[in-house]
Amino acid sequence: VKDKASGRHRAQTYGFAKDHPITVWRAAVGSALDAWLDMALSGGNIWNAHERFRDIDPLYVRLVFFLARPKSHYGTGRNARSLKPSAPTAPLSQRGGDLDNLAKAVLDEMNGRIFGDDAQVVRLIAEKEYADAGEAPGVLIIVRVADGRRRAG
C-alpha cells in the first residue's frame, strides 16, 4: 500500500481483523509508547519529549523482544513451574512471530512519536528470546543518535 503523504510503500494492517496478532501487537506498542511519552511530558524526567530525535538524525535502534513461553514447555503437577529438558532455549517457531515483522511493527509505531520516519534508522539490531518465568512479554527499545564513525570492513 502506498502512503499518500510520503509516497512510500507501507505495510497494510487495516486488512487484518481487530484480533489478529499483528493488529493487537501494534496497538499495544502504540499505547505503551503514548503512555511513555505522556510520562516524559508530565515531568517524569526520562527524556525531553518536546525534542524528539530530529528528522535529520541517523539513528541506531536495538529491539529485544521477550516472548511468552508456551505452557507445553513446562512440566505438569508439581513440576508445572519447571522447564522440560526438551524445551527450546530460543523462540524458533512462527508462533511468536517473525523477527522482521515484529521489528517492522515497532518501527512503524515509533514513526512520528520517537522519530520522524523509520528511514532514519541506519543500524537495526533485533533479537527475540523467551521472557523469564513470571516476566511479562514485551519489547526493550533502545534508540540513540548514530555516532558518525565509519566501520572498517
Side-chain angles (χ1 to χ4, degrees):
V1 175
K2 199 167 191 176
D3 182 9
K4 291 178 184 177
S6 70
R8 291 181 50 205
H9 287 278
R10 295 277 184 197
Q12 182 177 5
T13 58
Y14 61 83
F16 293 116
K18 289 181 182 178
D19 61 346
H20 189 278
I22 195 69
T23 305
V24 172
W25 172 248
R26 286 186 69 158
V29 169
S31 294
L33 287 170
D34 288 341
W36 184 83
L37 286 169
D38 287 346
M39 187 170 66
L41 284 169
S42 67
N45 221 7
I46 297 173
W47 176 52
N48 184 353
H50 296 289
E51 296 179 19
R52 67 184 169 108
F53 292 103
R54 298 174 307 160
D55 291 347
I56 59 169
D57 290 332
L59 303 172
Y60 293 161
V61 175
R62 181 175 180 209
L63 305 171
V64 183
F65 296 92
F66 297 96
L67 307 178
R69 278 190 179 273
K71 290 183 180 180
S72 62
H73 288 194
Y74 294 95
T76 57
R78 66 179 181 181
N79 295 318
R81 294 181 187 251
S82 300
L83 281 176
K84 293 178 181 176
S86 61
T89 58
L92 302 177
S93 72
Q94 291 181 343
R95 180 180 183 161
D98 292 344
L99 187 57
D100 59 330
N101 293 338
L102 292 170
K104 179 68 174 150
V106 171
L107 292 174
D108 284 348
E109 289 301 314
M110 293 173 74
N111 280 337
R113 287 182 171 104
I114 307 299
F115 43 69
D117 192 281
D118 56 8
Q120 293 173 249
V121 177
V122 297
R123 181 180 303 151
L124 173 63
I125 299 172
E127 308 167 52
K128 66 179 181 176
E129 59 186 67
Y130 284 121
D132 292 333
E135 183 180 72
V139 60
L140 169 69
I141 302 171
I142 301 170
V143 181
R144 67 182 180 92
V145 175
D147 60 18
R149 291 181 289 175
R150 301 188 121 227
R151 290 181 172 255

